[in-house]
Amino acid sequence: MKYDILIAGVGGQGVVLASRLLALAAMKTGFHVSTAETIGMSQREGSVSSHIRIGDKVSGSLIPIGQADLLLGLEPAETVRNLPFLKEGGKVLVNIHAIPPASRPPGSPEYDPAALLSFLCAYYPDILCSDFTKLADEVGTYRAANVAMLGAVAGARVLPFQEEILKAVLDAEIPEKYRAVNDAAFERARKCIRSVSGT
Amino acid sequence: MSLLTDNKLLMGNEAIALGAIEAGVQVVTGYPGTPSTEALETIARYAKRCGIYTEWSSNEKVALETAAGAAYSGAKALVTMKQVGLNVASDPLMSLSYIGVKGALVLLVADDPGPHSSQTEQDTRVFGHFANIPVLDPATPQEAYELTKLAFELSHEFEIPIILRTTTRVSHSCGDVEVEAAEPVPVEAVEEGFVKDRRWTIFPKLTAERHPWLENVQEKLSERFSGLSFNSVSGSGKIGIIASGVSALYVKEAIEAVRGFEELFTLFRVGTAYPFPEKAALSFLKGIDRLIVAEELDPYLEEQALQLIGKAHLPVDVYGKKNGFFPVSGEYNVDIVIDSINRALAAYGESLCLSHASPAVSREKLPPLPIRAPTLCAGCMHRTVFYAFKQAAKQLKKESQTDTIFSGDIGCYTLGNAYPLNMVDTCLCMGAGISLAGGLYHTNPKTKQVAFIGDSTFFHSGIPAVINAVYNGANITLAVLDNRTTAMTGHQPHPGVGVTALGNVSKAIEIADVVRSCGVESVKIVNTVDPDSLESCIKAAKEAMNFNGPSVLVFKGKCVGITKPDKHYEINPEACTGCGFCIKELGCPALNLDGDKPVIQDNCSGCGLCAQICPSEAICIGGVKL
């Protein structure tokens, strides 16, 4: 078994926490795991991505081009930026809530999220998308968009472990004062994706 | 053997910390630097429970010397830094290799191929060779944990400092690690205490005596390393590949996709980079016809192999960086390694070719994407100070046609270089901004020199530069950006904060007092927290720039990364004319265009700088958002 997940977003969106939760769930299931993330300047509104490799054995922590089974995009432009990592027929889950760059240095292309989303859909017609930031905000805080997206992939049944295990990891890892809102975001996204995909 | 599910998910740095505690470390020092920082932070969490003395030292040289003193006393010591920090610590290190240690002394030095957040791509394996200090080179968090323990053993046995060298992909990778103790426990400390002996005082005569010993240790260690399982050979093919650290994993993944790869390739993984395990390498080289060398940063293994091949007169061709088969710089990954190996295979007519996975969307097909450059946080005090100096410099230019050169330094405030502030004209290394400004002053008499430095960097290496400016009459203005923390590396305390690495209250050293005692006559503390602080910052900047002689302004504020916002600003759409001045001038991540008018997003942390510059007074306090 080998399953590679790439999470892409912007500094502050909770990419690292989401990857930790997935890695722990994979370990609890009995797989080896390896994650790679860049911590440093990227936290300051820069692009952040985390590679999570799960399997009976794992090699280096960086996913090669065209090998990711799942791409979790917390933001449209960052999803497109990391699309070459996804394999043909891989799954994409994208948060359509766009975060424009803080400044537009001369030469930086215009940000058109709608165009990027249709680009994504052209290559991956069965893409799963929603405004997870809005969904999280509705249940308590926009900051839980990352956990909402984990709920969505659990609901879509694309992960190589059971959603109960992921849920248990979530409960163990998230500090108590934030647990209720994260639980709510997870549940709501899980149900809404399940009704969309009809499973 | 424990069950896999009992393993811990550890970051490489955390694994090193647990390995050090298990090895019985008693003293830990360091200066924060990405990607090394979490090692000391993890030990600090267990320090009280396990009886480990832990400190953030004022810089890497001081950290190494402190750890050396502890090791002279028979203690086991660890010192942590990043590769550029090793340069700061190199003066004591070069002598320490001759002197040696008692107890044990391990240096964790984290390299940053890429680089992701560093000024250089330098290779610590080469530095170890240069300094005669053994270098261990783990590939995974598991190996980092095991090699940390080995480093302490070897340091104790051979009485020599040992470098544990990691790269970003080891330090900041997480993996399942099988650790011996479920929870770190105190290890019984054997501390002999310092014993007076002439061996601790470096002197030409002693150096001359010690040098042969030092060379001899390298030979003994090379011999020892050849027998270790961290240097392993797999496969039996005539195409040899040598790799160390994380590059070895990329090679494994690249060749494992080939059916029957064991008969085609022989992979020699090197876990102990320096001294080179010659005996093991020689036996590997004798079994192959061609050698491919896969390594990030410098061609260190390649040079070692070439030397050995020459020395032993072996008929082996070498394909690496030196003849253009592998990139000479940048971080590697599986795809780069595949391309490079393929170039080598093709060069000698091998029909085999490693293949890439084919993505549905290649990089060339991607539509244009917005550039997302790192920038100062929303509400960062540094933006106010930079903007104030920009205005002061504009006024100075208008009044006296004087141009201003802005010298930056290493820290968050390096991001003052970002558009639209553009406030960093030079940046070299920790503490250099002040001395560079001095050099610029002596050669550009018609310009005004302003240097920016952070509070932690000021203590790290800024003070001698201030003394130099005063003593040698450099007429510069220094702005100390005091946000009360070492923000860039994750908010470690420093001597100005008055809290130690373990959270104990200590004496806070006042930056203004330090510079006054260095002889600076114009010293002022400026508050950046008030909602109308911009005007006072501009006024202070102008006064300091007009002072004849070195002048220092200590700007005091808060880091928004560790404080909660107490207010939130809003744009009154009726008053806003949509001129976009706030966005164009500041580059604040909380300000965005929504249609034709700016909006302030949730990440506003209430500095109010935009409200102070809005020509239409359309920005006002809108309460607190949590």
Side-chain angles (χ1 to χ4, degrees), chain B residues 274-571:
Chain B
Y274 177 80
F276 194 57
E278 283 199 6
K279 213 178 195 177
L282 201 58
S283 113
F284 154 74
L285 289 169
K286 280 181 178 163
I288 59 171
D289 294 338
R290 298 167 199 284
L291 178 67
I292 295 171
V293 194
E295 58 188 327
E296 292 174 320
L297 302 174
D298 288 350
Y300 168 76
L301 295 175
E302 188 174 356
E303 283 173 2
Q304 295 295 321
L306 281 167
Q307 215 170 312
L308 202 53
I309 287 165
K311 214 158 87 177
H313 306 290
L314 296 175
V316 177
D317 289 336
V318 178
Y319 301 81
K321 290 176 192 268
K322 285 180 172 282
N323 44 8
F325 289 92
F326 278 79
V328 290
S329 63
E331 187 180 26
Y332 284 8
N333 56 40
V334 175
D335 294 294
I336 289 173
V337 167
I338 287 176
D339 286 336
S340 304
I341 293 178
N342 281 346
R343 271 195 290 275
L345 294 174
Y348 64 84
E350 170 64 54
S351 57
L352 172 83
C353 176
L354 308 179
S355 57
H356 295 273
S358 57
V361 188
S362 65
R363 205 149 286 195
E364 300 75 51
K365 284 190 203 156
L366 296 185
L369 290 166
I371 297 170
R372 221 184 269 284
T375 183
L376 295 170
C377 299
C380 174
M381 63 163 273
H382 304 337
R383 186 178 282 104
T384 304
V385 179
F386 281 132
Y387 194 73
F389 268 98
K390 198 168 189 170
Q391 302 315 310
K394 265 188 202 161
Q395 291 176 19
L396 192 68
K397 173 80 177 165
K398 212 167 151 192
E399 289 158 11
S400 61
Q401 281 75 54
T402 307
D403 283 315
T404 306
I405 302 174
F406 297 102
S407 287
D409 220 297
I410 311 295
C412 288
Y413 44 91
T414 312
L415 297 171
N417 72 335
Y419 177 87
L421 288 171
N422 299 323
M423 284 294 283
V424 175
D425 297 319
T426 82
C427 182
L428 184 65
C429 67
M430 295 284 282
I434 304 170
S435 354
L436 273 168
L440 289 164
Y441 165 76
H442 294 303
T443 46
N444 298 267
K446 286 185 182 155
T447 61
K448 179 66 208 172
Q449 303 305 325
V450 175
F452 297 101
I453 196 168
D455 36 355
S456 189
T457 313
F458 173 82
F459 290 110
H460 179 280
S461 46
I463 298 169
V466 172
I467 293 171
N468 193 56
V470 172
Y471 178 61
N472 291 303
N475 187 0
I476 64 169
T477 293
L478 171 63
V480 184
L481 303 165
D482 184 4
N483 63 356
R484 318 299 301 145
T485 186
T486 317
M488 186 57 120
T489 47
H491 307 109
Q492 294 76 22
H494 60 66
V497 178
V499 177
T500 70
L502 300 183
N504 298 327
V505 174
S506 73
K507 178 126 184 115
I509 295 157
E510 184 54 60
I511 295 170
D513 291 345
V514 173
V515 293
R516 263 187 220 113
S517 68
C518 291
V520 179
E521 285 167 21
S522 169
V523 180
K524 198 175 170 191
I525 297 174
V526 188
N527 184 356
T528 67
V529 179
D530 298 337
D532 57 352
S533 61
L534 179 63
E535 206 176 315
S536 59
C537 288
I538 297 175
K539 189 165 163 270
K542 270 190 78 179
E543 277 171 16
M545 288 163 82
N546 282 326
F547 183 80
N548 189 24
S551 57
V552 175
L553 295 174
V554 183
F555 290 94
K556 291 220 173 203
K558 55 186 183 183
C559 172
V560 295
I562 47 170
T563 44
K564 284 205 164 157
D566 54 0
K567 44 190 173 306
H568 183 266
Y569 282 79
E570 279 175 6
I571 293 178

Side-chain angles (χ1 to χ4, degrees), chain B residues 83-84 86-87 111-112 120-124 127 297-298:
Chain B
Q83 87 283 20
V84 277
L86 184 61
N87 302 339
D111 285 357
D112 186 19
T120 66
E121 278 198 291
Q122 70 193 56
D123 192 325
T124 294
F127 211 122
L297 302 174
D298 288 350

Side-chain angles (χ1 to χ4, degrees), chain A residues 10 20 23-24 27-28 30-39 41 44-47 53 57 59-62 64-67 75 77-78 80-81 83-86 88 99-106 108-109 111 116 119 123-124 142, chain B residues 4-5 7-9 11 34 38 116-117 169 172-176 249-250 253 256 331-335 357-363 365-375 377 412 415 419-420 487-488 587-589 591-592 602-603:
Chain A
V10 174
R20 183 173 171 81
L24 281 167
M27 271 178 67
K28 298 268 175 253
F31 294 120
H32 284 292
V33 68
S34 169
T35 75
E37 49 237 8
T38 301
I39 304 165
M41 301 239 278
R44 287 164 178 82
E45 302 286 332
S47 305
R53 313 198 74 184
K57 57 172 191 167
S59 196
S61 53
L62 291 177
I65 294 287
Q67 284 202 17
E75 202 282 335
E78 298 315 308
V80 174
R81 209 185 297 280
L83 206 56
F85 285 103
L86 194 62
E88 213 150 343
I99 301 177
S103 61
R104 255 189 69 202
S108 179
Y111 187 9
L116 295 183
F119 175 84
Y123 281 99
Y124 290 92
Y142 71 97
Chain B
L4 190 53
T5 48
N7 288 5
K8 284 189 172 199
L9 181 66
M11 184 190 271
T34 310
E38 297 82 1
H116 295 278
S117 51
R169 292 299 163 205
H172 278 176
S173 274
C174 295
D176 50 290
L249 301 182
Y250 300 148
E253 186 164 357
E256 272 173 3
E331 187 180 26
Y332 284 8
N333 56 40
V334 175
D335 294 294
S358 57
V361 188
S362 65
R363 205 149 286 195
K365 284 190 203 156
L366 296 185
L369 290 166
I371 297 170
R372 221 184 269 284
T375 183
C377 299
C412 288
L415 297 171
Y419 177 87
M488 186 57 120
C588 173
L591 281 164
N592 255 311
D602 291 338
N603 54 349

Side-chain angles (χ1 to χ4, degrees), chain B residues 163-180:
Chain B
I163 291 174
L164 178 76
R165 174 261 192 175
T166 60
T167 54
T168 304
R169 292 299 163 205
V170 178
S171 272
H172 278 176
S173 274
C174 295
D176 50 290
V177 178
E178 191 184 337
V179 288
E180 269 180 37

